[in-house]
Amino acid sequence: MDALILAAGYGTRMDTLTKDVPKPLLKIKNKTLISYAIDLIKNMSFDKIYINTHYKHFMVEEFISENYPDIVISYEETILGTGGGIKNIQKDDICILNTDNLWNQSFENELERSIKFFDDNKNFDSVLLINSKNKNFDLEVKNEGLINFPSKFNNTSFQGCHIVRKNSLFPYPKIFNIQNFWKDCSLNDKIYGYETTISNTHVGTKDEYLKYKK
């Protein structure tokens, strides 16, 4: 299994904070947001770790080459969307992480268990890591653990990490959003919400970021 950290977007929800610096390089506690994601998974048994880039890609690529030289850069000349960015590099099962979270290092154990669940349950094309104790609900999980998307009743929180099975994105176009894939998986009961005990702090908006930057 490979891993991909999403770092290509414009970071528009950060408003003017990303005018001169791409979101992945914004810092909290003197540590870049992208480093929280990398440090979480760098010692796990992934075959390769990828980072996709576009907006101010030279800055991100320079930071990665200086600090994490083993990571593979996937530059997108055109923004491919979250789904297209994954499809562009996917050669195997793949674990995707956002840079919108302050990843708790102990979450590594939860991620390992979710990957084992994914490996053991071949009927699911995707597994989303969720936390239903976090009150910032943005997804719906049914009693049997299946994700209902689009959500009719939000009762859980997406943890910014999901796993996608090899070849499941093949039918989709070059540019698309991963939510289109989630919707199709939901219609066919092929997307599962893996409940975690740890909730990672979300800092994907300007207000959230400034709250924790202090």
Side-chain angles (χ1 to χ4, degrees):
M1 180 178 289
D2 296 326
L4 168 64
I5 298 173
L6 299 173
Y10 291 101
T12 53
R13 291 182 297 166
M14 290 291 190
D15 197 23
T16 56
L17 295 176
T18 50
K19 179 181 178 182
D20 299 313
V21 179
K23 182 178 68 174
L25 298 187
L26 292 175
K27 292 183 177 182
I28 290 182
K29 296 182 179 179
N30 204 36
K31 182 174 180 176
T32 62
L33 296 183
I34 200 168
S35 290
Y36 281 95
I38 295 171
D39 291 348
L40 173 68
I41 64 172
K42 66 181 181 182
N43 294 320
M44 295 178 65
S45 57
F46 291 112
D47 295 323
K48 289 184 179 180
I49 298 177
Y50 294 86
I51 290 175
N52 66 340
T53 65
H54 176 77
Y55 179 63
K56 297 190 181 296
H57 65 98
F58 291 116
M59 296 177 68
V60 178
E61 291 162 9
E62 181 179 11
F63 176 82
I64 296 301
S65 64
E66 290 179 356
N67 295 280
Y68 304 98
D70 293 335
I71 288 179
V72 181
I73 299 292
S74 175
Y75 169 64
E76 298 177 10
E77 186 173 349
T78 301
I79 286 281
L80 301 177
T82 49
I86 299 166
K87 180 180 178 180
N88 185 50
I89 64 99
Q90 186 179 19
K91 299 177 179 65
D92 201 344
D93 295 343
I94 191 165
C95 177
I96 304 102
L97 287 88
N98 295 342
T99 54
D100 289 352
N101 295 81
L102 298 183
W103 295 101
N104 187 319
Q105 194 61 46
S106 59
F107 196 70
E108 177 182 337
N109 295 326
E110 306 240 28
L111 184 51
E112 290 278 13
R113 288 193 289 270
S114 71
I115 290 172
K116 184 179 186 307
F117 176 87
F118 179 82
D119 288 340
D120 291 343
N121 291 271
K122 305 296 185 183
N123 52 311
F124 296 123
D125 285 343
S126 187
V127 167
L128 276 59
L129 275 65
I130 59 173
N131 184 280
S132 300
K133 294 182 179 179
N134 185 332
K135 298 302 181 182
N136 297 317
F137 295 154
D138 55 6
L139 280 176
E140 179 184 357
V141 61
K142 296 184 283 190
N143 290 335
E144 59 271 32
L146 295 171
I147 293 292
N148 188 40
F149 192 87
S151 302
K152 296 179 181 178
F153 175 72
N154 291 341
N155 59 3
T156 193
S157 300
F158 178 50
Q159 286 291 285
C161 178
H162 56 118
I163 309 169
V164 175
R165 197 161 307 278
K166 179 181 179 181
N167 295 329
S168 59
L169 300 183
F170 181 77
Y172 293 84
K174 179 179 180 180
I175 301 174
F176 74 100
N177 289 323
I178 198 64
Q179 286 83 358
N180 296 341
F181 170 65
W182 291 358
K183 180 179 179 181
D184 293 339
C185 285
S186 177
L187 289 171
N188 294 288
D189 292 340
K190 288 184 171 294
I191 185 167
Y192 186 88
Y194 185 88
E195 188 73 37
T196 65
T197 61
I198 296 173
S199 178
N200 296 286
T201 302
H202 187 267
V203 291
T205 68
K206 181 179 180 179
D207 288 344
E208 291 170 333
Y209 173 77
L210 292 177
K211 177 181 176 181
Y212 289 97
K213 188 176 186 298
K214 295 179 180 178

